């Protein structure tokens, strides 16, 4: 063929990445965040070198467990979802066909355990937000929040990994106290029950009159006579208070004069005055 008829044919192809830089073993410089719950599911960003952007080529392990949903946006950055694991710290490693990254303290991922609640002291208090409660249990680590039922407690203070103090919110009824950390939320158990007690009410006083010298045994009916109960006749305190049930109390009337209101004070607060709580000397 005449040289003038020859065509200089040049075939050019785009460079194909197979496993990152030829021969380079991946390295991991940092991971963020460096902790998450034992249930897994934490998206973790991994920075380093020698990663491959080809899907399926770069593998990420948390300890000996493969990560979920690995995706590499460049040769220096990947994201991976932490798998479920037991509590503790594991090494995060990145592997390609060229090898696997070495481990170091800087690339440890800590699985935070789920907290537990074993005791609430006191286990009851008034419906108004005022009672300081001590919560005992385990694994109260990192940022901690406390809920009474669905309501957030205030003044939360982590004393130890096994002890928290918090101020109960305002609400009625019996609820479960739950502690939430990065590791998750504690389970609702009998040991985690807290009861909000309403103020007592007085629906009937019998008898409704007695001598000015006092000494009359008076029966009071109503509700929420819980805990230590004090009874007053006007400003004077009754004696020999006996709580027969949460709805019945007996008391000895003090000396007095005129018509007064009988009030009962208990765990939930003090009863209001009403026509049904009058007593006449």
């Amino acid at each position: 063929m005449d040289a003038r008829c020859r065509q200089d044919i040049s075939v050019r192809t785009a460079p194909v990445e197979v496993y990152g830089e030829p021969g380079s073993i991946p390295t991991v410089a940092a991971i963020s965040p460096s902790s998450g719950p034992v249930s897994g599911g934490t998206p973790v960003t991994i920075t380093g070198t020698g990663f491959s952007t080809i899907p399926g080529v770069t593998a990420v392990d948390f300890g000996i467990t493969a990560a979920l949903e690995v995706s590499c946006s460049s040769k220096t950055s990947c994201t991976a979802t932490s798998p479920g694991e037991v509590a503790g710290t594991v090494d995060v490693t990145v592997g390609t066909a060229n090898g696997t990254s070495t481990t170091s303290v800087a690339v440890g991922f800590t699985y935070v355990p789920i907290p537990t609640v074993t005791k609430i002291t006191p286990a009851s208090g008034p419906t108004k937000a005022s009672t300081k409660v001590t919560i005992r249990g385990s694994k109260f680590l990192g940022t901690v929040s406390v809920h009474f039922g669905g309501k957030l407690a205030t003044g939360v203070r982590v004393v130890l990994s096994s002890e928290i103090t918090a101020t109960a919110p305002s609400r009625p009824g019996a609820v479960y106290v739950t502690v939430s950390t990065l590791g998750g939320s504690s389970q609702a158990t009998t040991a985690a029950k807290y009861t909000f007690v309403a103020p007592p009410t007085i629906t009937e006083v019998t008898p409704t009159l007695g001598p000015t010298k006092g000494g009359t045994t008076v029966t009071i009916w109503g509700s929420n006579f819980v805990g230590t109960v004090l009874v007053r006749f006007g400003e004077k305190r009754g004696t020999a208070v006996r709580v027969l049930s949460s709805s019945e109390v007996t008391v000895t009337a003090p000396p007095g004069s005129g018509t007064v209101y009988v009030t009962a004070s208990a765990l939930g607060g003090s009863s209001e005055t009403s026509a049904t709580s009058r007593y006449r000397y």
Side-chain angles (χ1 to χ4, degrees), residues 85-220:
E85 261 292 357
V86 296
T89 300
V90 299
D91 295 309
V92 176
T93 55
V94 175
T96 67
N98 293 324
T100 301
S101 63
T102 58
T103 62
S104 72
V105 175
V107 293
F109 184 85
T110 300
Y111 282 94
V112 182
I114 299 171
T116 62
V117 174
T118 57
K119 189 175 182 180
I120 307 290
T121 307
S124 57
T127 53
K128 64 181 181 179
S130 63
T131 305
K132 187 175 181 179
V133 177
T134 298
I135 303 161
R136 291 184 174 84
S138 63
K139 304 175 180 66
F140 302 148
L141 306 171
T143 301
V144 175
S145 62
V146 177
H147 285 81
F148 285 69
K151 294 193 83 171
L152 190 65
T154 57
V156 176
R157 179 171 170 258
V158 180
V159 181
L160 299 167
S161 62
S162 59
E163 184 178 334
I164 294 171
T165 59
T167 301
S170 174
R171 64 164 304 155
V175 299
Y176 290 104
V177 177
T178 55
V179 175
S180 299
T181 68
L182 181 62
S185 296
S186 61
Q187 293 186 341
T189 63
T190 303
K193 239 181 187 179
Y194 183 87
T195 302
F196 288 91
V197 181
T201 62
I202 294 178
T203 57
E204 185 178 351
V205 174
T206 303
T208 58
L209 73 163
T212 57
K213 66 181 180 180
T216 302
T217 299
V218 177
T219 300
I220 303 168

Side-chain angles (χ1 to χ4, degrees), residues 18-26 50-52 56-59 94-100:
V18 180
Y19 302 116
E21 296 298 326
S24 62
I25 297 174
F51 306 158
S52 172
V57 171
T58 300
V94 175
T96 67
N98 293 324
T100 301

Side-chain angles (χ1 to χ4, degrees), residues 70-98:
V70 177
S71 175
C72 298
S73 59
S74 70
K75 296 177 183 179
T76 60
S77 180
C78 293
T79 59
T81 302
S82 65
E85 261 292 357
V86 296
T89 300
V90 299
D91 295 309
V92 176
T93 55
V94 175
T96 67
N98 293 324

Side-chain angles (χ1 to χ4, degrees), residues 231-256:
V231 178
R232 292 183 183 275
F233 288 69
E235 296 299 319
K236 292 187 176 181
R237 188 188 247 182
T239 58
V241 177
R242 186 169 170 227
V243 181
L244 302 180
S245 70
S246 62
S247 60
E248 185 179 353
V249 172
T250 61
V251 59
T252 300

